[in-house]
Amino acid sequence: MNENFKAEKTCSFSFLFKSTLVSPFTFDCMKTICIILLLLPLIATTQNLVPNGSFEVTGDCPVDLHDLELLGWQHWLASPNCFNACSPSLNQLDSLFDVPTNGFGYQYAATGDGYIGLGTYGQPGISDNAREYAGVQLLAPLMVDTPYHVSFKTCLALNGFYWQLNHASNNIGIIFTPNGYDWLDSPMPIPNEAHLYSTEVIEDTTNWTLIEGVFIADEAYTHIGVGNFFDSANTEYIQYQNGLGAYYYVDDVVVMKLSDYNHVSELNAKSF
């Protein structure tokens, strides 16, 4: 990229038409055009390593809560769910996996039309260690000793019209692994560790909470998982009333080389 190039709000262009030079002229560029000009050279060098980290539908609309495979993700433990605005209504009512209203609560997607949801804490005294994990293979292995920006957004689901999950918990987070899991044949055990997680109990049911940090890869990890990777002895929870446990929506999972992430962030800041 030309180091001397700067996109300004006012831009000058010269045009050639049928070999006749049209006099240069100046006009006010739309800010969005300037941003695009800045970001185009980055397309080949910056990449979110998480495939479909915003859980968008790329083909058929899910017709079942458990259709994670349609999003390119897998069930690593139990049965995390997918939600999308394309979900068909049932007898003119919101479906269990619609957006924004579904069987677990109410929330619009942070990006696009879809997100996933998973249980992070079971019913106290009955199924405390009940967990749900979703995972996927990264687009490329992590590079050892390389710092990465890692982030995701989450929101507590409460008072769903079908499932009464009336708890909140901490520890929802991300883990990197050297392999994937299958909840039927080789489910992921609770490892009591994670590479990024919230130590605070997240209670916000209205706004998406951003969880982010920097991770320096100590292995060439090939997969990423989302969930609460700590058992109940190491998890804090809040019980609002009787219910089945804690459940969270997840959207916008991002893993990017820190140098690339900083570069994009700097250019975005300059563009505005």
Side-chain angles (χ1 to χ4, degrees), residues 13-25:
F13 295 90
S14 293
F15 294 92
L16 283 172
F17 180 70
K18 291 185 178 180
S19 298
T20 302
L21 180 63
V22 179
S23 299
F25 65 93

Side-chain angles (χ1 to χ4, degrees), residues 1-8:
M1 187 173 103
N2 187 340
E3 295 290 339
N4 297 320
F5 173 77
K6 291 184 179 180
E8 305 289 345

Side-chain angles (χ1 to χ4, degrees), residues 178-194:
N179 54 267
Y181 295 88
D182 181 274
W183 76 292
L184 293 177
D185 297 327
S186 56
M188 183 179 186
I190 299 177
N192 273 326
E193 62 178 3

Side-chain angles (χ1 to χ4, degrees), residues 2-125:
N2 187 340
E3 295 290 339
N4 297 320
F5 173 77
K6 291 184 179 180
E8 305 289 345
K9 187 174 181 180
T10 299
C11 307
S12 296
F13 295 90
S14 293
F15 294 92
L16 283 172
F17 180 70
K18 291 185 178 180
S19 298
T20 302
L21 180 63
V22 179
S23 299
F25 65 93
T26 302
F27 66 97
D28 288 336
C29 289
M30 292 174 59
K31 190 177 294 183
T32 53
I33 294 177
C34 297
I35 296 170
I36 292 172
L37 290 174
L38 276 172
L39 297 181
L40 278 177
L42 298 176
I43 293 176
T45 58
T46 61
Q47 182 183 43
N48 180 9
L49 296 179
V50 181
N52 198 11
S54 63
F55 307 102
E56 302 306 318
V57 171
T58 57
D60 295 334
C61 183
V63 295
D64 186 274
L65 272 169
H66 311 300
D67 280 345
L68 278 187
E69 286 71 17
L70 290 180
L71 310 179
W73 285 66
Q74 292 79 47
H75 298 81
W76 279 12
L77 179 63
S79 54
N81 310 119
C82 59
F83 305 89
N84 198 281
C86 70
S87 172
S89 61
L90 301 176
N91 298 322
Q92 298 182 337
L93 300 175
D94 290 312
S95 77
L96 299 180
F97 48 101
D98 199 2
V99 170
T101 302
N102 51 66
F104 292 88
Y106 181 94
Q107 183 58 274
Y108 283 96
T111 298
D113 296 316
Y115 50 78
I116 64 170
L118 40 80
T120 61
Y121 195 88
Q123 193 170 4

Side-chain angles (χ1 to χ4, degrees), residues 76-245:
W76 279 12
L77 179 63
S79 54
N81 310 119
C82 59
F83 305 89
N84 198 281
C86 70
S87 172
S89 61
L90 301 176
N91 298 322
Q92 298 182 337
L93 300 175
D94 290 312
S95 77
L96 299 180
F97 48 101
D98 199 2
V99 170
T101 302
N102 51 66
F104 292 88
Y106 181 94
Q107 183 58 274
Y108 283 96
T111 298
D113 296 316
Y115 50 78
I116 64 170
L118 40 80
T120 61
Y121 195 88
Q123 193 170 4
I126 299 176
S127 57
D128 301 48
N129 282 318
R131 302 287 185 272
E132 293 182 320
Y133 301 154
V136 70
Q137 183 173 351
L138 298 169
L139 295 176
L142 300 188
M143 300 175 64
V144 176
D145 295 330
T146 299
Y148 289 87
H149 165 85
V150 183
S151 64
F152 68 98
K153 296 172 184 175
T154 189
C155 180
L156 176 64
L158 277 182
N159 301 318
F161 70 79
Y162 192 85
W163 286 282
Q164 294 298 310
L165 293 125
N166 296 312
H167 296 66
S169 80
N170 67 345
N171 289 341
I172 186 169
I174 281 175
I175 193 169
F176 294 101
T177 67
N179 54 267
Y181 295 88
D182 181 274
W183 76 292
L184 293 177
D185 297 327
S186 56
M188 183 179 186
I190 299 177
N192 273 326
E193 62 178 3
H195 293 109
L196 173 71
Y197 59 100
S198 172
T199 58
E200 302 294 327
V201 176
I202 297 174
E203 298 185 75
D204 198 333
T205 62
T206 303
N207 306 295
W208 288 96
T209 299
L210 175 66
I211 310 297
E212 62 181 343
V214 175
F215 172 62
I216 300 177
D218 57 342
E219 292 185 31
Y221 297 108
T222 57
H223 291 71
I224 184 174
V226 182
N228 174 11
F229 298 99
F230 296 85
D231 62 20
S232 295
N234 294 285
T235 298
E236 298 177 9
Y237 74 92
I238 296 173
Q239 181 173 345
Y240 303 108
Q241 54 185 315
N242 291 332
L244 299 176

